[in-house]
């Protein structure tokens, strides 16, 4: 978790948008996989979206078509663009990265074990 830092969270009214950023320290070798997960109050952490260094992207079903996950490979920065937010999107959003080759996916029983490194999270609150 010491290698990643999320930013861009905050409070937004329903229907609004937010753009989260994740900055990853340069460790001297490329990051294979980066992604986002969230943890809502009273719920376990779940994957949201992931992208590998070839640009292959996968989303959890409820995020597909509404969230986007741009990656700036030149800066080791990952973004999560969220549009038309509703109250059920309120959660702490975490950025994750993995330097290992293999599957790069948010479809995992335990998302915490899917990625090697995690950030501290950034709070997103959607209000009416």
């Amino acid at each position: 978790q010491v290698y990643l830092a999320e930013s861009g969270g905050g409070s937004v009214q329903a229907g609004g948008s937010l753009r989260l950023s994740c900055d990853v320290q340069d460790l001297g070798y490329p990051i294979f996989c980066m992604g986002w997960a969230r943890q809502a109050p009273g719920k376990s952490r779940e994957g949201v979206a992931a992208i590998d260094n070839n640009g292959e992207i996968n989303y959890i079903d409820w995020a597909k078509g509404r969230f986007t996950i741009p990656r700036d490979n030149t800066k080791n920065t990952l973004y999560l663009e969220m549009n038309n937010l509703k109250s059920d999107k309120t959660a702490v959003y975490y950025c994750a990265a993995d330097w290992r080759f293999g599957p790069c996916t948010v479809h995992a029983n335990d998302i915490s074990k899917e990625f090697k490194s995690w950030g501290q999270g950034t709070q997103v609150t959607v209000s009416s």
Side-chain angles (χ1 to χ4, degrees):
Q1 294 183 348
V2 299
Y3 302 120
L4 289 78
E6 303 95 337
S7 63
S11 181
V12 63
Q13 290 184 308
S17 301
L18 283 176
R19 182 172 183 257
L20 308 182
S21 299
C22 173
D23 296 318
V24 184
Q25 293 184 15
D26 187 356
L27 302 181
Y29 48 92
I31 302 169
F32 175 71
C33 178
M34 300 183 69
W36 291 93
R38 71 170 188 174
Q39 188 164 10
K43 300 181 66 177
S44 60
R45 187 175 301 188
E46 62 177 346
V48 176
I51 181 171
D52 67 17
N53 60 0
N54 291 320
E56 183 175 352
I57 300 171
N58 65 91
Y59 298 91
I60 203 71
D61 286 343
W62 56 260
K64 188 175 183 179
R66 292 175 171 83
F67 289 6
T68 59
I69 184 171
R71 177 176 177 175
D72 187 343
N73 292 321
T74 65
K75 298 181 179 179
N76 280 347
T77 301
L78 180 70
Y79 303 93
L80 181 65
E81 297 178 346
M82 304 180 290
N83 298 311
N84 194 24
L85 287 165
K86 304 301 180 184
S87 60
D88 63 353
K89 300 300 185 290
T90 294
V92 177
Y93 285 76
Y94 298 88
C95 181
D98 203 319
W99 291 258
R100 301 172 296 183
F101 291 98
C104 181
T105 180
V106 296
H107 305 286
N109 292 329
D110 187 352
I111 192 66
S112 297
K113 297 180 180 179
E114 193 72 19
F115 293 88
K116 186 175 180 63
S117 184
W118 292 85
Q120 294 292 309
T122 183
Q123 176 70 47
V124 172
T125 303
V126 184
S127 63
S128 61

